[in-house]
Amino acid sequence: MSVDHEKYKALYEYQKDQFESESGRFNRLEDKAVKYLTSITVAVSAYVLLVRWCADKIIPPSGVLNWLVVISIVFTIVSMASSWSFIFRSIKLQDLMKMPVGEEVSELFHNNERATVYLSLSKRYAEAAKEKESQYNLKLKNVRKGYSEIVFSGWCFLISISLIFANVWLEG
């Protein structure tokens, strides 16, 4: 009975494409997380400069508006730290499954028929793609939480800035 090498080759190419697709998704999500991290870092830096500028006007808080400013600053800093935390967790170094190289692959090619080689490699690509998808889902969970925290931080930031400028203007 003849072995249909083309069928196994097609399976191998399909699994390889799935692995490359998962790798692409993973890399795009990683890039997005880095962009979020950059954005929140710039926002934190600008916010710290603003808070340092107005600190002598609001510390120690003396009135209701000063207390609202201080509370909004605390909420903003905590929410920014939380978003930073989620984004950092999403970009942490991970052990990724990769395709085997070296002697193991040489032995596989040397000791087996072409169909068996295709089948073996396609199974490894399938395992690697499944592992990559699992890691992608963990990363996605943290990026989504980080994004939600960034949105909340943005609102805290706007409220805090408004209160700071209102306080400076009223005491000006």
Side-chain angles (χ1 to χ4, degrees), residues 45-154:
S45 300
Y47 190 68
V48 166
L49 289 174
L50 178 69
V51 169
R52 282 186 61 204
W53 170 75
C54 73
D56 60 333
K57 296 173 179 68
I58 59 171
I59 304 289
S62 58
V64 173
L65 186 56
N66 279 4
W67 275 106
L68 287 174
V69 170
V70 169
I71 291 168
S72 72
I73 288 171
V74 169
F75 267 102
T76 303
I77 290 172
V78 168
S79 67
M80 286 178 168
S82 177
S83 61
W84 239 348
S85 172
F86 282 118
I87 299 301
F88 271 127
R89 281 187 262 170
S90 75
I91 62 173
K92 73 178 182 175
L93 296 177
Q94 299 170 332
D95 292 329
L96 297 178
M97 187 173 188
K98 63 178 188 166
M99 295 306 292
V101 294
E103 190 66 30
E104 182 182 354
V105 176
S106 298
E107 292 286 326
L108 176 67
F109 276 81
H110 182 69
N111 296 331
N112 295 292
E113 296 289 324
R114 187 174 5 162
T116 305
V117 171
Y118 279 138
L119 183 59
S120 178
L121 290 176
S122 67
K123 285 180 181 178
R124 290 184 187 205
Y125 270 122
E127 290 169 7
K130 187 175 274 191
E131 178 66 26
K132 189 104 36 177
E133 180 184 21
S134 173
Q135 291 176 341
Y136 172 86
N137 288 332
L138 289 173
K139 183 178 289 294
L140 181 62
K141 180 178 154 189
N142 282 323
V143 169
R144 282 183 173 159
K145 286 180 180 178
Y147 178 78
S148 295
E149 285 295 314
I150 289 170
V151 170
F152 182 72
S153 296

